[in-house]
Amino acid sequence: MKDLKELKDIVVNKPLEQSVVTIDQTMSFVNEVSDILLQGLDASEDRFIYTERISVFFGRYLEKLKSLLEGKDLDLAFWAASLLIHYKINDSLAESVLLDAIEFSDNDDHVSTATVILCRNRNQKVIEVINKRLNSKNPEKKMRDYFIEKINDLTEALGGSV
């Protein structure tokens, strides 16, 4: 097992390819820790105490992720919001970050990522925001077609009730 400081240095300071490999190694370590915690819960006679302690582990991660939403790095805030909403963690600020990206962003990656995540989660607010963008920004045909397809897919998934 590598030293955590060494893993951090590689993830933060090395080229993307090397960082991704190390991120995968770090995630493997995190998975092992998660498995240990859940095995302990399974074997425990006092699952309330175990659950309480494990919740601290996950709670701290969520707190750190949510704190990125209000930072000065708007790109980082966007990607933190996308993680939260992708995993269906209810957070109005994260939802707002993604909806704003669809309506106002000039970054196509942000626009398409936010649209996919919100549509996949069947968020009805995305239809209103896409319509605002279609009416105010007059997107190019490719993006217009993409938005219309997403609205149609979401409307169908919701049973045509939008």
Side-chain angles (χ1 to χ4, degrees), residues 4-47:
L4 288 178
K5 183 181 178 332
E6 182 183 348
L7 288 174
K8 176 185 171 190
D9 289 343
I10 294 170
V11 168
V12 173
N13 298 316
K14 298 295 180 182
L16 180 61
E17 188 174 301
Q18 192 174 359
S19 292
V20 168
V21 169
T22 306
I23 288 168
D24 290 342
Q25 291 172 346
T26 304
M27 292 307 301
S28 176
F29 174 73
V30 169
N31 287 338
E32 287 181 45
V33 170
S34 297
D35 288 346
I36 290 168
L37 293 173
L38 294 175
Q39 288 170 7
L41 176 62
D42 183 44
S44 176
E45 291 182 18
D46 192 339
R47 291 183 173 163

Side-chain angles (χ1 to χ4, degrees), residues 56-153:
V56 171
F57 173 74
F58 292 107
R60 286 188 182 140
Y61 174 75
L62 287 176
E63 285 174 20
K64 289 177 182 180
L65 194 56
K66 288 179 179 187
S67 74
L68 298 175
L69 297 174
E70 299 184 64
K72 293 179 182 176
D73 186 335
L74 299 180
D75 184 62
L76 185 57
F78 172 82
W79 292 109
S82 70
L83 280 172
L84 289 164
I85 300 300
H86 177 75
Y87 288 103
K88 298 179 182 172
I89 296 170
N90 240 349
D91 188 281
S92 59
L93 182 55
E95 178 187 60
S96 178
V97 167
L98 295 187
L99 290 169
D100 285 350
I102 294 170
E103 187 173 354
F104 303 113
S105 182
D106 292 326
N107 182 323
D108 287 346
D109 286 340
H110 286 192
V111 173
S112 62
T113 299
T115 303
V116 166
I117 290 170
L118 291 170
C119 286
R120 186 180 302 138
N121 287 354
R122 296 183 177 183
N123 185 312
Q124 293 184 14
K125 294 176 187 175
V126 74
I127 293 173
E128 179 183 334
V129 172
I130 288 173
N131 281 324
K132 285 181 183 177
R133 177 138 185 161
L134 286 170
N135 293 325
S136 67
K137 287 233 179 200
N138 198 15
E140 62 185 57
K141 181 174 177 9
K142 179 180 171 185
M143 188 59 86
R144 176 175 287 283
D145 292 345
Y146 172 76
F147 281 144
I148 291 169
E149 175 187 339
K150 289 300 180 186
I151 288 174
N152 290 338
D153 290 349

